[in-house]
Amino acid sequence: MRTLMEDELFPSTPGKVKFERTHPINRQFHRFFSTSNMFLWALFLIVLTASYLSVQSFVSTSSRFLSSSSSTASWGGLHWERQIRSSATPRRNSGLSVLVTGAAGFVGSHCSLALHKRGDGVVGLDNFNTYYDPSLKKARSALLSSHSIFVIDGDINDAHLLSKLFDLVPFSHVLHLAAQAGVRYAIENPSSYVHSNIAGLVSLLEAVKSADPQPAVVWASSSSVYGLNDKVPFSESDQTDSPASLYAATKKAGEEITHTYNHIYGLSITGLRFFTVYGPWGRPDMAYFSFTKAILAGKPITIYHGRDRVDLARDFTYIDDIVHGCLASLDTAGKSTGSGGKKRGPAPYRIFNLGNTSPVTVPTLVSILERYLKAKAKKNVVEMPGNGDVPFTHANITLAMEELGYKPTTNLETGLKKFVKWYLAYYRNPPRQIKTHL
């Protein structure tokens, strides 16, 4: 069971990529930004900030969807500090020292283990919120702990915690993956997106800008920023001013915020627009995961279609490919140029699509799952509601291929086969002392 859960279910080749070349900043800058767009988004950020301030008290007392506040988190002490320093120390020459936020999440846990396996130092941070069953997050964290990766139970909005971490460790990089995920959930709890994706991002960047040395930052944006764009495939140079969901709007705002910190404080910033990531240890709120659960239980699944009964399609990207893109982004990030919050010169600012370039319709996804699960799905096909979802996604990855050496290798059939193998093993034989409710 241990061999299955570790060796087969996490990336087998943890991104042994290192490029020394630097990348022109001005070409990237003019591609993504214009003065008018910056003005519009500045107004948008003001509105979002005002919204956040008005609901902050609600967020801090909401126990249903968010974890307990950082003030109740247990951290500190000599033993705690020794664990962090040990976990952050690289075991290879020229190894990175990386703070991974959202380390107990889907992408975060995979990236943390891949970094550790190649000899980098890794410290994780996660607040274990209850957006989905936290027992899965605890299981991921336990697996990381078994590999001597220390994961702190804390929140990125805790300025004191972040300041302490950067005082303890001269991190070379931050891999920021913590966020409130999901498109439809924003209708139910919009304040959580502002709290995590905007306020949390600013809190982290404030700590990074003041750190000495300043680490380079790689962070997860989203393919959702393309919103209502109907030009395919989606390219980094496309307009992203028409978000279709609050989640997308907060990620777009994040891109504007990170650009500001790059410009003012000299932070090296790389934003990654992920396209529908799936695989073992994935998120239960994703369609492929919930479909698997329902099919095995003999329950109906809801399949949405677009206008004129057009099937929805997604550029499904397997977790190993995403991990390789994340590690290549860290390796090529370039250094921040500030010190103590003061900029000494221009620093790299980059945005990349990380997708698979092969959109697959949702009915095709279901048919593949039926084959591997050896069970037929009870399908309820309905028109897509106005909840922020978009009818299709399709990534142009030319820039990532050129600059990162990114090359996805796993098609949907192969990736779903690996996912089903993990799902059956995990939920039929869950780790002891960990309860599962899925």
Side-chain angles (χ1 to χ4, degrees):
M1 183 63 185
R2 183 178 178 83
T3 300
L4 173 65
M5 291 181 65
E6 296 180 9
D7 296 337
E8 295 185 16
L9 303 185
F10 277 96
S12 56
T13 54
K16 299 178 181 178
V17 202
K18 185 99 175 180
F19 296 90
E20 297 299 333
R21 62 187 180 186
T22 59
H23 314 295
I25 301 167
N26 290 336
R27 176 167 61 89
Q28 299 290 348
F29 176 85
H30 291 297
R31 176 176 290 178
F32 300 125
F33 297 96
S34 67
T35 302
S36 60
N37 284 345
M38 290 292 287
F39 175 75
L40 290 174
W41 278 99
L43 291 177
F44 174 68
L45 290 178
I46 291 172
V47 173
L48 282 178
T49 302
S51 299
Y52 169 70
L53 292 174
S54 68
V55 300
Q56 189 174 24
S57 61
F58 165 78
V59 172
S60 64
T61 58
S62 175
S63 59
R64 181 180 179 188
F65 299 111
L66 299 173
S67 67
S68 59
S69 67
S70 57
S71 62
T72 63
S74 176
W75 59 269
L78 292 178
H79 178 64
W80 181 82
E81 292 181 6
R82 283 195 294 268
Q83 286 179 297
I84 289 175
R85 289 194 178 101
S86 175
S87 190
T89 302
R91 303 180 322 283
R92 66 182 177 100
N93 292 334
S94 302
L96 311 182
S97 180
V98 188
L99 173 64
V100 180
T101 70
F106 175 30
V107 179
S109 57
H110 280 268
C111 286
S112 295
L113 190 61
L115 287 165
H116 177 81
K117 281 189 172 182
R118 73 177 196 175
D120 295 319
V122 181
V123 173
L125 176 64
D126 204 292
N127 70 354
F128 296 89
N129 70 40
T130 55
Y131 167 62
Y132 61 81
D133 186 0
S135 69
L136 182 58
K137 301 176 184 180
K138 292 177 182 177
R140 298 187 192 117
S141 181
L143 183 56
L144 297 183
S145 179
S146 72
H147 287 270
S148 301
I149 300 171
F150 187 58
V151 179
I152 302 162
D153 185 348
D155 196 288
I156 55 173
N157 281 287
D158 189 337
H160 294 295
L161 171 59
L162 293 177
S163 178
K164 182 66 173 179
L165 287 176
F166 287 107
D167 284 343
L168 284 173
V169 177
F171 290 107
S172 62
H173 295 75
V174 172
L175 181 58
H176 178 47
L177 302 172
Q180 175 58 63
V183 170
R184 301 170 194 169
Y185 181 58
I187 295 175
E188 186 175 352
N189 189 13
S191 60
S192 65
Y193 290 79
V194 180
H195 177 81
S196 296
N197 301 357
I198 296 180
L201 175 61
V202 171
S203 296
L204 178 65
L205 293 175
E206 280 291 302
V208 171
K209 78 159 193 194
S210 300
D212 191 7
Q214 287 181 343
V217 177
V218 175
W219 75 288
S221 183
S222 170
S223 63
S224 296
V225 300
Y226 291 108
L228 302 178
N229 177 31
D230 57 5
K231 172 184 168 292
V232 291
F234 301 156
S235 298
E236 293 90 343
S237 58
D238 292 344
Q239 292 296 315
T240 54
D241 295 330
S242 301
S245 66
L246 179 60
Y247 170 70
T250 61
K251 287 298 186 178
K252 170 61 177 178
E255 292 185 357
E256 304 294 349
I257 291 169
T258 54
H259 177 267
T260 300
Y261 276 79
N262 165 265
H263 173 66
I264 296 176
Y265 301 110
L267 296 186
S268 171
I269 304 282
T270 303
L272 303 177
R273 294 172 177 171
F274 295 159
F275 281 73
T276 316
V277 189
Y278 73 100
W281 295 97
R283 280 175 27 212
D285 64 312
M286 297 292 284
Y288 72 96
F289 202 118
S290 60
F291 286 171
T292 298
K293 176 187 174 184
I295 292 171
L296 289 173
K299 296 180 179 179
I301 63 174
T302 299
I303 300 176
Y304 295 121
H305 63 76
R307 295 178 181 177
D308 301 321
R309 300 192 67 83
V310 174
D311 292 330
L312 304 190
R314 294 287 182 269
D315 199 342
F316 295 101
T317 312
Y318 189 63
I319 182 60
D320 284 18
D321 295 323
I322 290 293
V323 169
H324 287 217
C326 289
L327 269 59
S329 297
L330 290 168
D331 290 340
T332 61
K335 293 183 178 181
S336 294
T337 61
S339 177
K342 295 182 179 180
K343 177 181 175 181
R344 295 195 302 269
Y349 185 86
R350 312 180 299 171
I351 293 179
F352 297 108
N353 288 339
L354 293 186
N356 195 51
T357 74
S358 301
V360 177
T361 66
V362 174
T364 300
L365 165 76
V366 173
S367 67
I368 296 172
L369 286 174
E370 289 176 321
R371 186 164 71 252
Y372 290 137
L373 295 171
K374 298 179 173 59
K376 294 295 291 182
K378 299 177 181 178
K379 305 169 188 175
N380 179 27
V381 182
V382 299
E383 185 172 351
M384 182 176 66
N387 57 14
D389 268 336
V390 294
F392 57 86
T393 60
H394 185 184
N396 180 333
I397 61 170
T398 302
L399 189 61
M401 292 175 69
E402 293 175 351
E403 305 287 356
L404 304 178
Y406 175 72
K407 185 178 181 180
T409 60
T410 306
N411 61 29
L412 186 61
E413 290 224 4
T414 302
L416 285 179
K417 183 177 182 180
K418 293 180 178 181
F419 166 74
V420 168
K421 183 179 182 181
W422 168 81
Y423 186 98
L424 296 177
Y426 182 83
Y427 286 105
R428 289 179 179 176
N429 301 285
R432 291 180 180 179
Q433 89 268 354
I434 296 177
K435 295 181 180 179
T436 59
H437 306 286
L438 300 176

